[in-house]
Amino acid sequence: MIDTCSHALPHGITLACRTAGAPGRPVLLFLHGFPEGAFVWDALLEHFADPANGGYRCVAPWMRGFGPSSAPAEVAAYRAKHLVQDIAALVNAEAGPGGALAALVAHDWGGAVAWSFANQHPARLRQLAIVNAPHPGAFLRELNGNPDQQAASAYMNFLIRPDAEALLAEDDFRRLWEFFTAMGAEAAPGSPGAPDGAGWLTPAVKEQYRATWRAGFTGGCNYYRASPLRPPRAGDPAAAAITLPDAMLQIAVPTLLVWAEDDTALPPALAEGLDQWVPRLTVHRIPRATHWVVHEQPQRVIGLIADFLHTADATK
């Protein structure tokens, strides 16, 4: 059974959450991406909260800027340090001050935040599970050296336009449905999509998305505006202007990377060459799955995460 709650964090941000499982149990925290919401994890919350499957306390917040959570208007409020601060405070609220998560599970922008959180707060989580969210070192490498990745990420430069919010809201969110069902070339060339449509996008799921999107898109678009990790363009060097020190890229905790191989925005090359930063890494590739693999194959994702959690249990 899915419940809801809100955590008013000490630094003035409130995160609305979907939850399952009893407080006090080991915590699994799930972070969504753009243009999604906490509800994308419902099947995983219900599965892992079941006593037969570990009886975890499962918590999925709407990230800052999404749905009913706080949405500061300033672009600077979406810099990585603030997003990581949100998650650290939420871990305190759910696992206790100084407590640790059983695992942090994340996708897309949630994954970007999770990589940073695991780097900065390794004692606050036992395991990290990432679904189609590039490690920052690999993403910077590919953005700067791979024309295919630059083309695949071109949609980011649409989402930082000053009129992006208005365009996304037009025609019953037409461009966002295209993120899921096709390439969405008019709105966002190279954006993630399912070439054969998206059978999971039922009327009920569409209403969940509409309810989240009606809160507005400024917060979600500000994730892209606040980050330099996007393709360079005229007048904006973006990723070409930055370097990331090795200390910011190291992940010490055991990490599972689940990679859907038909992700048009995040090609499989992003899942390669990570050992230098993530020495305790397990990679599982899923063929014929897109960026939206959590929707498309929830049971496959559940199974991979369950196996990963059981491996940790066996080594206690």
Side-chain angles (χ1 to χ4, degrees):
M1 176 179 175
I2 304 294
D3 293 317
T4 60
C5 72
S6 291
H7 285 291
L9 305 178
H11 54 283
I13 293 292
T14 295
L15 296 183
C17 301
R18 295 176 73 79
T19 66
R25 296 290 301 160
V27 178
L28 298 181
L29 185 61
F30 298 82
L31 306 181
H32 70 83
F34 180 92
E36 300 181 292
F39 61 87
V40 303
W41 299 111
D42 281 0
L44 284 76
L45 302 187
E46 292 180 332
H47 176 88
F48 288 109
D50 187 328
N53 301 315
Y56 293 93
R57 168 69 170 173
C58 297
V59 180
W62 276 272
M63 300 286 283
R64 172 190 295 227
F66 289 86
S69 289
S70 295
E74 303 83 5
V75 170
Y78 296 85
R79 291 176 180 157
K81 65 180 181 180
H82 301 302
L83 305 175
V84 170
Q85 181 185 26
D86 289 351
I87 302 312
L90 185 57
V91 174
N92 283 342
E94 285 286 348
L101 302 172
L104 179 58
V105 181
H107 171 247
D108 188 79
W109 263 110
V113 178
W115 285 119
S116 292
F117 180 83
N119 169 264
Q120 296 173 33
H121 301 284
R124 306 303 305 279
L125 72 166
R126 291 185 58 229
Q127 293 179 280
L128 176 66
I130 299 287
V131 181
N132 280 68
H135 181 279
F139 198 32
L140 182 61
R141 178 193 71 207
E142 296 299 303
L143 281 172
N144 282 333
N146 187 338
D148 291 340
Q149 183 63 64
Q150 293 170 2
S153 295
Y155 71 95
M156 292 180 166
N157 286 327
F158 168 83
L159 292 171
I160 65 173
R161 287 172 47 160
D163 60 351
E165 294 94 324
L167 292 172
L168 291 174
E170 284 182 349
D171 304 326
D172 183 35
F173 312 111
R174 173 179 60 83
R175 290 173 173 84
L176 286 168
W177 303 130
E178 290 172 350
F179 266 45
F180 298 137
T181 61
M183 292 295 291
E186 177 186 345
S191 64
D196 58 349
W200 55 266
L201 196 57
T202 64
V205 172
K206 290 184 79 169
E207 279 306 306
Q208 288 181 301
Y209 274 104
R210 286 189 181 98
T212 294
W213 295 343
R214 287 182 188 122
F217 299 106
T218 296
C221 290
N222 280 347
Y223 279 67
Y224 295 91
R225 294 169 179 144
S227 173
L229 282 176
R230 57 178 184 267
R233 57 180 183 154
D236 178 14
I242 67 169
T243 58
L244 295 175
D246 191 68
M248 291 180 60
L249 303 176
Q250 295 298 316
I251 304 296
V253 299
T255 301
L256 169 69
L257 182 63
V258 176
W259 206 267
E261 293 192 315
D262 288 348
D263 187 331
T264 58
L266 302 173
L270 287 167
E272 299 172 358
L274 302 185
D275 290 350
Q276 60 182 308
W277 304 305
V278 194
R280 304 169 72 186
L281 177 66
T282 300
V283 179
H284 283 284
R285 300 175 184 270
I286 302 181
R288 297 180 300 281
T290 78
H291 190 73
W292 316 110
V293 64
V294 174
H295 278 303
E296 295 167 351
Q297 299 189 40
Q299 294 307 312
R300 179 72 182 278
V301 175
I302 286 170
L304 291 171
I305 294 172
D307 288 347
F308 183 57
L309 295 173
H310 291 160
T311 299
D313 290 341
T315 59
K316 286 181 181 177

